[in-house]
Amino acid sequence: MKEKILIVEDEKDIVKMLEYNLKKEGFKTLSDRNGEDALDSAKKEHPDLVVLDLMLPGMDGFEVCKALKADSKTSAIPIIMLTAKSQESDKVVGLELGADDYVTKPFSPRELVARIKAVLRRAKEKDKLPPIIKVGGLTVDLSKIEVAVKGKPVELTSKEFELLKTLIKARGRVLSRDYLLDAIWGFDQAAEIQTRTVDVHVRTLRKKLKGEAERNVTVKNYGYRFDDEE
Ligand code: CA
C-alpha cells in the first residue's frame, strides 16, 4: 500500500515541487494551505506522515504540531517541520513539541525524501515494542504488566502502569499533559484540575521507580518524556 503524506504549506510552488517528487517516489500526497484544514485532514485521512511548514497563515506550524500531538487520533503521525529560519531555537521548540525531524529551506527534494523515508522507518520500528523492556535498572514486562527496579518488583496502580507504557511507547518524544489525559483517562477537554492529575501520577510513578525513573521520565514545560538512553 502506498504511504500517504500530508503536505501543509501555503506556497504553491513548494507544494507542487513536493507533490511531484513524492509521487515519483511512490507516495500518495494530500495538501493543505493552512493549519485548520490540515488538522481536519489529519483526522479524516490518517496520513502516514505530515510535512509541516512553520510559516503558515493563521495558526503557525508550531501550533499545528502541538494540536496534532495533543489529539490521540493524530498524535502518532510523524511530523517533519519545514522552515525558512535556521535558528537553533526554532529547531528545539519544534522537536520539544513532538516533531520528528526538521528541514531548513531551501532544501533539495532529494534531501526531504530521504528524511521522510528515515522517519517512516523509525516510526515503524517504534510500533513494534518488545514484550520486555530494559533500560538501565528498570525492567518493564508489558505482557505480564510487571515492573521491577534492579530486580525488585515495584507495585504500580493500573493508571501508573498505563502512564509508563504510554511514555515508553513514545520514547524520546514529549507527550503533553492533554494528550496523556486523553490517552489514559479518556478526558477529551482538559481542565486545569484534570491536567494536574497527570502531574500527580507522574510524581508518584517517579517516586516508585526511584533513581531509574528520575533519569528516564523527564519533565518538560509542556509535558513528559521517556528517554531510553542509558
Ligand atoms: Ca509557508
Side-chain angles (χ1 to χ4, degrees):
M1 212 175 75
K2 280 186 181 176
E3 283 162 311
K4 210 190 296 177
I5 312 294
L6 171 61
I7 303 162
V8 189
E9 166 66 283
D10 56 321
E11 284 163 74
K12 269 190 200 162
D13 292 345
I14 294 180
V15 175
K16 266 192 195 163
M17 181 264 277
L18 286 178
E19 282 177 339
Y20 172 78
N21 284 282
L22 287 169
K23 280 178 185 155
K24 208 172 69 182
E25 290 287 329
F27 292 106
K28 256 165 94 174
T29 62
L30 297 162
S31 67
D32 283 308
R33 301 180 63 178
N34 64 66
E36 288 83 357
D37 289 347
L39 294 178
D40 282 345
S41 301
K43 267 180 231 173
K44 284 182 202 140
E45 303 283 343
H46 310 288
D48 295 285
L49 183 142
V50 178
V51 175
L52 176 60
D53 190 40
L54 179 57
M55 306 293 269
L56 294 168
M59 288 177 91
D60 70 16
F62 288 145
E63 291 172 87
V64 177
C65 181
K66 207 167 152 179
L68 286 171
K69 292 298 168 189
D71 189 325
S72 60
K73 288 185 209 76
T74 54
S75 65
I77 305 171
I79 297 171
I80 296 182
M81 296 208 63
L82 292 182
T83 183
K85 297 179 192 170
S86 55
Q87 275 103 332
E88 197 63 15
S89 62
D90 281 339
K91 184 176 170 177
V92 172
V93 173
L95 297 178
E96 281 251 309
L97 290 178
D100 293 80
D101 206 350
Y102 203 87
V103 175
T104 306
K105 288 177 180 173
F107 56 87
S108 74
R110 245 174 103 176
E111 182 195 356
L112 183 66
V113 167
R115 298 283 191 101
I116 288 174
K117 286 182 178 169
V119 168
L120 285 172
R121 200 166 46 234
R122 279 208 312 263
K124 270 183 209 144
E125 281 162 15
K126 265 188 193 168
D127 276 348
K128 292 185 217 136
L129 271 188
I132 296 173
I133 293 148
K134 281 187 186 174
V135 181
L138 178 67
T139 309
V140 182
D141 188 327
L142 291 174
S143 55
K144 287 188 193 156
I145 316 183
E146 283 172 0
V147 177
V149 173
K150 293 185 175 130
K152 282 186 191 156
V154 177
E155 289 286 325
L156 295 185
T157 65
S158 65
K159 293 293 186 211
E160 287 162 358
F161 187 82
E162 279 301 308
L163 184 61
L164 182 61
K165 189 171 124 181
T166 306
L167 288 168
I168 287 175
K169 268 192 178 169
R171 63 210 141 157
R173 281 203 340 245
V174 180
L175 298 181
S176 71
R177 289 172 178 83
D178 285 354
Y179 172 76
L180 289 168
L181 261 182
D182 185 19
I184 296 159
W185 285 269
F187 293 132
D188 216 11
Q189 290 288 310
E192 174 84 4
I193 189 112
Q194 291 170 328
T195 55
R196 250 182 268 143
T197 306
V198 179
D199 297 334
V200 170
H201 278 77
V202 169
R203 217 177 302 141
T204 55
L205 175 66
R206 280 165 57 95
K207 221 168 158 185
K208 286 183 181 178
L209 301 185
K210 296 178 194 109
E212 300 306 322
E214 252 135 57
R215 219 175 40 225
N216 298 115
V217 181
T218 56
V219 185
K220 300 278 154 193
N221 284 337
Y222 172 63
Y224 298 98
R225 186 176 73 193
F226 184 87
D227 295 301
D228 52 4
E229 276 114 46
E230 290 181 29

